[in-house]
Amino acid sequence: MRLNEIRKDNPLIICMTNDVVKNFTANGLLALGASPAMAEAKEEMDAFLSVAGALLINIGSLHPSRVEDMREAVKYANKHQVPVVLDPVASGASSFRKEFCLNLLNDFDISVIRGNASELLALLEETTMKGTDSRTDLNNVEIAKRAHEIFGSAIVITGEVDTIVQDNRVALVKNGTSLLTKVTGGGCLLGAVVASFVYNKVKPTLEDLTEALAAYTVASEFACKLPNGTLPGHFAVHLIDQLYEITEDDIVANQRVEEV
């Protein structure tokens, strides 16, 4: 399994992410056992990515001034064979976001796309979103399969049941809690966790991705059970603590995973 490897190797994860979630993301990765760096300047991407384990591109705070920095980061990640995780936050909310993601997917190799069903659907069709909200009437498995076929990347769609597609195999992860939607950055941190679990693997396996989702969602369930864990503020702190304490045995004993 990968969790113990992360804690042994302490991989450097470059996180170009949402301004709102940088602190939460960094603390989550430190608790997990990875080494986060919120480097953003294109002038230093070659140096950082020559030693990094993975790169996260999260477009939550996308701005024209960041477009070239992100593209340069992905270029150097490809150069150094560093896996790239793309989180297309609210990709259906504006043509600016959607076009940036589609151009990135067309021009570079992206190892994993992680988003909700509405975000992935927006990359596949002419559809719109209200901010980051995801529709609940979508067939996540079919959307994930289509995205995997079109983009060639591993696909992770998160929701009440998380859907993973890689190498034309499909896994469902049925752990988690709705409190992850009540904390700013719950999904964004997951993108960084996924990046940690696929470090040094440009082509991650379905098992790598399933372990990442299971580790995060099982930790979220443990967090809910702690004192005041059903309150969003306490839950956010408990989640960081549980990412620090969770073990591979905890994941194996508590994951509810089905390959379909």
Side-chain angles (χ1 to χ4, degrees):
M1 296 180 72
R2 291 288 273 173
L3 180 58
N4 286 347
E5 294 177 6
I6 292 169
R7 289 170 174 168
K8 173 179 174 290
D9 294 340
N10 188 225
L12 177 65
I13 311 299
I14 309 300
C15 300
M16 302 185 79
T17 192
N18 193 330
D19 290 339
V20 178
V21 305
K22 288 179 180 178
N23 180 271
F24 188 59
T25 298
N27 283 335
L29 291 195
L30 287 170
L32 185 70
S35 177
M38 273 51 187
E40 295 185 336
K42 63 183 179 182
E43 291 81 2
E44 59 185 2
M45 283 302 136
D46 194 9
F48 267 97
L49 286 159
S50 68
V51 294
L55 168 68
L56 170 69
I57 299 291
N58 175 307
I59 68 164
S61 297
L62 189 64
H63 186 274
S65 64
R66 292 184 170 182
V67 167
E68 192 57 33
D69 290 339
M70 288 183 168
R71 288 182 59 85
E72 283 290 291
V74 178
K75 180 184 80 172
Y76 284 114
N78 285 182
K79 171 187 173 182
H80 294 294
Q81 292 293 294
V82 172
V84 180
V85 176
L86 172 64
D87 193 335
V89 179
S91 55
S94 71
S95 59
F96 174 57
R97 289 171 180 266
K98 179 173 180 173
E99 289 171 7
F100 172 78
C101 291
L102 291 177
N103 288 336
L104 205 67
L105 289 161
N106 183 65
D107 296 341
F108 302 104
D109 294 326
I110 305 298
S111 297
V112 185
I113 308 172
R114 187 228 70 88
N116 63 43
S118 292
E119 289 163 345
L120 268 293
L121 185 62
L123 299 180
L124 298 170
E125 299 179 357
E126 291 298 326
T127 184
T128 58
M129 296 175 62
K130 186 189 77 175
T132 60
D133 291 351
S134 181
R135 287 166 51 188
T136 58
D137 61 336
L138 300 176
N139 187 322
N140 293 6
V141 172
E142 289 306 312
I143 292 171
K145 285 181 175 179
R146 285 174 56 198
H148 181 55
E149 180 180 359
I150 290 172
F151 300 123
S153 307
I155 305 297
V156 175
I157 293 183
T158 50
E160 186 174 347
V161 174
D162 299 325
T163 303
I164 306 166
V165 178
Q166 175 65 318
D167 294 327
N168 297 311
R169 297 166 60 199
V170 181
L172 305 179
V173 180
K174 300 179 180 180
N175 298 90
T177 167
S178 61
L179 277 167
L180 286 168
T181 66
K182 303 299 182 184
V183 174
T184 297
C188 297
L189 173 54
L190 175 56
V193 168
V194 169
S196 300
F197 273 84
V198 305
Y199 80 97
N200 292 350
K201 287 192 176 185
V202 173
K203 187 174 175 58
T205 66
L206 184 73
E207 288 75 17
D208 296 329
L209 297 165
T210 300
E211 184 182 352
L213 271 290
Y216 190 71
T217 53
V218 169
S220 75
E221 291 176 348
F222 288 176
C224 285
K225 297 175 183 177
L226 295 174
N228 293 317
T230 57
L231 300 176
H234 289 79
F235 170 76
V237 175
H238 290 330
L239 178 60
I240 300 295
D241 291 342
Q242 291 309 303
L243 288 172
Y244 180 78
E245 293 193 337
I246 196 168
T247 67
E248 291 183 349
D249 288 342
D250 291 329
I251 298 170
V252 172
N254 293 278
Q255 64 183 357
R256 299 191 298 279
V257 175
E258 176 186 0
E259 187 168 351
V260 298

